[in-house]
Amino acid sequence: MTSQDIDVLLIDGHCGLCSRLGSFLNKRLSNSEELQIIAQEDEDGVNILSNLTDEIRKIDSVILIRKGQVYYYSSAGIRCLLYLNWWWKMWYPFMWIIPLPIRNLVYRIISKNRNKLFRN
């Protein structure tokens, strides 16, 4: 399997928040969208990461590979809405109204405190 075959969301398998995000998405995926959710530490995750640039591999974030394009931080999170049913997808354009620096600041604050707030 390669990232070009199917869209992939790489999550931190040791993070409670990431695991909950993966479960949340799996339960709500639209029948018309295909998204493989893989822990970055799993064999498939390691193989996919090895094909990415060093700069992206060093990022402490969920990583979404959608149609061959790589997204991370809040951009990956917001694009995850596109894989869900219409009542979730409708939030996608509204989330882009929030300026990127503010979105990424909120993302980083939550990410930095995720292990304190969300335990496996």
Side-chain angles (χ1 to χ4, degrees):
M1 176 181 62
T2 66
S3 59
Q4 286 79 21
D5 296 337
I6 189 170
D7 293 352
V8 175
L9 179 65
L10 297 169
I11 62 171
D12 179 351
H14 302 296
C15 167
L17 177 59
C18 295
S19 297
R20 287 186 178 116
L21 171 67
S23 294
F24 177 88
L25 291 171
N26 265 333
K27 291 177 185 174
R28 292 163 180 84
L29 286 174
S30 168
N31 292 332
S32 64
E33 298 289 339
E34 271 194 68
L35 177 67
Q36 185 73 33
I37 301 170
I38 302 172
Q40 294 176 4
E41 304 80 21
D42 288 351
E43 184 178 342
D44 287 339
V46 171
N47 289 337
I48 292 168
L49 281 171
S50 70
N51 292 319
L52 301 176
T53 65
D54 287 339
E55 180 182 329
I56 292 174
R57 279 194 301 250
K58 292 177 186 175
I59 293 173
D60 185 23
S61 172
V62 295
I63 297 172
L64 175 66
I65 303 171
R66 179 174 170 82
K67 299 182 186 347
Q69 180 69 35
V70 179
Y71 302 96
Y72 44 86
Y73 298 134
S74 65
S75 296
I78 291 172
R79 279 184 175 82
C80 285
L81 292 170
L82 296 173
Y83 296 94
L84 305 178
N85 291 312
W86 71 268
W87 51 88
W88 291 101
K89 283 182 185 178
M90 73 177 188
W91 291 102
Y92 177 78
F94 298 107
M95 299 304 284
W96 286 112
I97 293 172
I98 302 167
L100 181 64
I102 294 171
R103 289 193 332 247
N104 282 344
L105 175 65
V106 171
Y107 180 94
R108 287 186 180 119
I109 290 170
I110 292 170
S111 176
K112 187 175 183 179
N113 296 295
R114 67 185 180 193
N115 292 325
K116 296 175 197 168
L117 300 171
F118 302 93
R119 302 198 189 279
N120 268 344

